[in-house]
Amino acid sequence: MQVVQNQIGSMGQAMIVQMNEQAQHLIQAISNSCLDILGQQEGIFIKQNFELFEAITGFETPNVYKVYAANDQGKKKKQKALFKCKEKSSTCARICLPGNTRPFEMKINNYGCKDFQPTMAKMFLKDEKRVIFKFKREYQCTCLCFNRPRLEVLYVENDENRKLGTIVNPWYFCNIGCHILDINDNLKYVVEASCCQTYFWCRCPCNSCNKVEFLIKVPNGEVVAHLVKKGKDCCKNMVGDADNFRLIFPKGASKEDKALLMAVTLMMDYMYFEDKGGAQASIGPA
């Protein structure tokens, strides 16, 4: 009888181990498929969720973004969102620090990639296990060109964080922008916008006054793609500050490069557009 019980116990343990292995393989397959799906896109459309509670009370809430597939013109495709990006930060940091300095961890899960995933995925995955990317920024006391803000871009693989690169916000006297560094801290792209655009000097609710265009350049200065920040027009602009970004990927960009470009878009929002004062308050020494 004891022998039978031992055999049943061993079989049960073996089944548990096998199920855990299958779940890990499934998680990894989903993670890889989401990175591949991002790599297949010509562009992405990023929309920040409008928080009614924040608009009414003025109490800063964690930012939430949804990332949609877009065509080569930056127009959103009629599909569900690919990813959901949710900020993790302390209440104290959100209340006491402006968006361009507060520390946070942005978790990006496979919100809409489930449309491309096996049906069995939902049986094994909780929200935490569905995280594909993590964008981490620590608090840094910066002055002019010293100790500039940095955003670390991580890819979650086998429950481990693999670094893809870093986003650095250099000091600009007038213009705004960020640098994208690869895993070895070599300059990959420069993303910057001129401060001569109408948005920075006139906040009328017209189309041109609610648009900022960034140029995406390689280190030799060649422009290879564009990033456009667009606000709402007319009366809609008075309701909230939940804007959108249209990112067109450079030709031949790898899936890792596209993940870094998605990260730099969110970094731009925090550095220059997060606070209600808008980018007008961000021009000049920071």
Side-chain angles (χ1 to χ4, degrees):
M1 186 67 179
Q2 184 66 32
V3 174
V4 174
Q5 290 180 347
N6 290 339
Q7 289 178 346
I8 294 175
S10 299
M11 291 175 61
Q13 291 178 357
M15 290 178 64
I16 292 173
V17 170
Q18 186 177 6
M19 289 178 65
N20 287 335
E21 289 178 351
Q22 289 176 348
Q24 289 297 326
H25 288 315
L26 183 57
I27 291 170
Q28 184 57 36
I30 290 172
S31 181
N32 287 335
S33 66
C34 286
L35 185 58
D36 291 335
I37 289 168
L38 178 62
Q40 294 166 7
Q41 306 306 318
E42 297 173 301
I44 53 175
F45 181 95
I46 300 178
K47 179 68 178 177
Q48 182 180 357
N49 284 8
F50 173 65
E51 299 292 342
L52 182 60
F53 176 78
E54 180 178 337
I56 295 174
T57 65
F59 184 83
E60 189 73 27
T61 57
N63 286 347
V64 178
Y65 304 83
K66 288 182 181 178
V67 181
Y68 299 85
N71 60 20
D72 58 358
Q73 301 298 316
K75 294 183 179 180
K76 183 176 70 171
K77 294 182 179 179
K78 294 182 179 180
Q79 297 176 351
K80 293 182 179 179
L82 295 175
F83 305 109
K84 183 177 182 180
C85 314
K86 188 171 184 179
E87 173 191 344
K88 297 292 183 180
S89 60
S90 69
T91 303
C92 181
R94 292 195 302 273
I95 293 175
C96 300
L97 296 173
N100 59 358
T101 59
R102 79 171 180 249
F104 65 85
E105 179 182 62
M106 185 73 68
K107 292 186 177 182
I108 294 84
N109 66 33
N110 59 340
Y111 179 78
C113 286
K114 59 189 178 184
D115 295 338
F116 304 92
Q117 295 168 359
T119 308
M120 294 287 289
K122 296 180 182 179
M123 296 177 60
F124 294 96
L125 300 176
K126 297 180 181 179
D127 289 342
E128 184 69 21
K129 290 293 185 180
R130 290 163 57 184
V131 172
I132 308 301
F133 302 104
K134 292 180 181 179
F135 303 155
K136 292 185 177 181
R137 189 178 76 175
E138 303 293 338
Y139 174 78
Q140 290 177 272
C141 184
T142 181
C143 177
L144 300 181
C145 59
F146 299 102
N147 198 34
R148 297 302 302 173
R150 300 170 69 92
L151 179 73
E152 190 175 21
V153 182
L154 304 171
Y155 170 54
V156 182
E157 185 177 28
N158 290 327
D159 288 335
E160 296 182 357
N161 298 326
R162 177 165 68 88
K163 183 178 177 180
L164 296 181
T166 307
I167 312 301
V168 179
N169 175 242
W171 181 71
Y172 285 92
F173 181 70
C174 287
N175 295 344
I176 64 174
C178 286
H179 290 177
I180 299 177
L181 310 181
D182 64 16
I183 191 173
N184 298 315
D185 285 339
N186 297 318
L187 181 62
K188 189 77 176 180
Y189 296 104
V190 175
V191 185
E192 57 186 11
S194 170
C195 68
C196 295
Q197 299 180 67
T198 312
Y199 177 91
F200 300 109
W201 310 108
C202 179
R203 297 306 302 276
C204 297
C206 59
N207 182 64
S208 61
C209 294
N210 281 279
K211 186 174 84 170
V212 179
E213 183 175 2
F214 292 85
L215 302 179
I216 301 175
K217 307 175 183 178
V218 290
N220 65 9
E222 179 187 359
V223 177
V224 294
H226 295 82
L227 167 65
V228 176
K229 181 260 182 191
K230 184 70 169 60
K232 295 181 288 294
D233 300 330
C234 302
C235 296
K236 292 181 180 180
N237 193 54
M238 307 298 179
V239 177
D241 58 349
D243 302 328
N244 61 64
F245 290 83
R246 299 181 182 188
L247 171 61
I248 302 171
F249 291 128
K251 298 292 184 182
S254 66
K255 54 189 178 183
E256 290 81 8
D257 288 349
K258 293 180 180 181
L260 291 170
L261 288 164
M262 179 171 69
V264 80
T265 304
L266 299 182
M267 180 70 161
M268 289 290 191
D269 192 37
Y270 277 89
M271 293 304 303
Y272 301 111
F273 309 109
E274 169 63 13
D275 301 311
K276 295 186 185 300
Q280 285 178 312
S282 301
I283 299 175

